[in-house]
Amino acid sequence: MAKRLLVAVALWALGGPAGLHHLYLGRDNHALLWMLTLGGFGVGWLWELWLLPGWVARANSTSEVHRDGRPPLSPVRFLGQALVGIYFGLVALIGLSTLPGFYLVALPLAVGLGVHLVSEVGDQSSDLQGTLTAAFITAPVFHGRSVAILPISLTTSVVAHRHRCYKAGRGTSEKLSIRLYRLGLAYLAFSAPLAHCAFSNTAATANYVASAIGAVLDWASVFPSLSGILESMLLLPYRAWKTLGFGGTYFQEWEKVFAFVQSFQSERQQMAYKILGLHSDATLDEINKSYRELVKHWHPDHNPHRAAEAERRFIEVQAAYELLTQMKKPKPAR
């Protein structure tokens, strides 16, 4: 049956974060990815509106396209592989970290499967065996450390990208019921350990999530604008839960995560004032004046005898200034 662009757009608008439009177009791997990441954390879903016409045309094509050679390098796909690998690793850390041998088996397996899922999106594929092998080889080097998620994800993404190739077939001709059954099993395998941990060991799960959010915000603190966006995205589930009016002991545990992030933000602001040598009620003019003086004082070109320290202080001053000016900006009238 021919696919219609209007139907694809409607499914994109109504159930895009759940991958309904990909399911309609026979892109099951992409549908599963969107189911597990809520539309690529929202960003991928919004971007796809411009790609729908091409996907519909490809789904309606009757000719089989055989492509030789290797697909071109795609920084977007590589970034997606790394991010989803990290995401799968964090989910495994929350839901499966109590298992024996977690850092040698479950963690590299989760990260490798996340990377491979992105590799299978669209008309491309990769070598699952090579991707998982890279994950299992990297894991022992960082055994017992949560930070292992990052190097494992990067290593497996590089290996998956090196083994990229085009798929032999254009799509699937299986019945919808079989496809839904397979997607349901994959979704259950992903979410069941996480749901069990979240409801049976709420306090530990909240601590894991708070630590993960804190680590991400700490890494992004050099770019205050990016940090603010990440904070809003990471706390979106909490705010949605609060808006719906849920409460009880379970919700009280998750309020601690919000309090942690809020205190983290407050500490960053205090540190920014300290870096600029200002008090907490400084005006925007005072912030601008202090910034100009410190940038001039710590500019690396003016400090060749202490270049490393000057570069570090210069970056700190710029980050502090951006954070405080963003905070002092007048809110748009509603």
Side-chain angles (χ1 to χ4, degrees):
M1 182 182 296
K3 307 299 181 181
R4 298 178 178 231
L5 178 59
L6 184 60
V7 175
V9 172
L11 291 174
W12 171 88
L14 296 175
L20 293 185
H21 55 302
H22 290 301
L23 187 64
Y24 172 68
L25 297 174
R27 300 167 59 89
D28 289 2
N29 291 320
H30 212 155
L32 177 60
L33 178 63
W34 259 215
M35 288 168 59
L36 301 181
T37 64
L38 289 180
F41 312 108
V43 179
W45 166 59
L46 294 174
W47 172 252
E48 284 183 335
L49 180 60
W50 313 104
L51 304 176
L52 282 176
W55 288 339
V56 171
R58 189 177 305 168
N60 289 329
S61 176
T62 57
S63 59
E64 190 75 24
V65 179
H66 296 280
R67 300 187 181 182
D68 298 323
R70 180 180 294 182
L73 285 170
S74 173
V76 174
R77 186 178 290 263
F78 178 81
L79 179 62
Q81 289 170 334
L83 290 178
V84 173
I86 293 172
Y87 171 63
F88 272 48
L90 289 174
V91 170
L93 185 64
I94 294 172
L96 302 172
S97 58
T98 57
L99 293 177
F102 166 76
Y103 287 97
L104 294 176
V105 180
L107 182 61
L109 179 62
V111 174
L113 290 176
V115 171
H116 185 71
L117 179 58
V118 180
S119 303
E120 291 287 318
V121 165
D123 60 351
Q124 294 188 28
S125 182
S126 187
D127 179 20
L128 175 60
Q129 182 178 349
T131 300
L132 292 181
T133 299
F136 282 109
I137 290 176
T138 308
V141 180
F142 301 91
H143 181 263
R145 305 177 190 175
S146 299
V147 73
I149 296 172
L150 180 59
I152 294 174
S153 181
L154 291 176
T155 303
T156 52
S157 297
V158 170
V159 173
H161 222 57
R162 288 195 58 175
H163 290 88
R164 65 192 184 279
C165 60
Y166 287 112
K167 290 179 180 176
R170 182 170 53 87
T172 177
S173 58
E174 292 179 322
K175 292 182 179 180
L176 179 61
S177 58
I178 297 177
R179 295 165 56 202
L180 289 175
Y181 176 72
R182 186 183 295 116
L183 289 173
L185 287 179
Y187 186 83
L188 184 63
F190 178 88
S191 59
L194 183 60
H196 172 74
C197 184
F199 285 97
S200 65
N201 197 358
T202 305
T205 305
N207 287 333
Y208 272 128
V209 173
S211 300
I213 291 176
V216 172
L217 294 179
D218 186 42
W219 172 82
S221 61
V222 180
F223 310 98
S225 298
L226 175 60
S227 181
I229 295 173
L230 286 174
E231 180 181 328
S232 299
M233 291 175 59
L234 292 170
L235 290 180
L236 184 60
Y238 165 84
R239 294 193 173 104
W241 189 274
K242 188 174 182 180
T243 302
L244 293 174
F246 294 104
T249 305
Y250 175 78
F251 182 68
Q252 291 173 1
E253 292 292 341
W254 287 99
E255 282 187 313
K256 296 176 183 178
V257 179
F258 179 76
F260 171 84
V261 176
Q262 289 296 97
S263 65
F264 187 85
Q265 177 75 3
S266 176
E267 290 177 3
R268 286 194 298 149
Q269 292 175 1
Q270 293 175 11
M271 181 61 70
Y273 281 118
K274 184 177 179 180
I275 290 173
L276 296 182
L278 299 170
H279 46 81
S280 58
D281 57 346
T283 65
L284 186 58
D285 289 338
E286 290 175 324
I287 293 173
N288 289 330
K289 180 180 178 182
S290 177
Y291 169 72
R292 287 193 295 267
E293 291 175 353
L294 289 173
V295 162
K296 183 177 180 181
H297 177 75
W298 288 111
H299 197 286
D301 292 344
H302 301 161
N303 297 273
H305 56 292
R306 47 177 179 174
E309 180 187 2
E311 184 177 0
R312 177 175 59 82
R313 293 291 186 90
F314 187 77
I315 294 175
E316 287 180 350
V317 169
Q318 286 185 316
Y321 175 74
E322 185 178 346
L323 175 62
L324 295 181
T325 51
Q326 287 286 338
M327 185 185 65
K328 294 283 185 178
K329 276 183 179 179
K331 303 297 182 183
R334 296 184 179 180

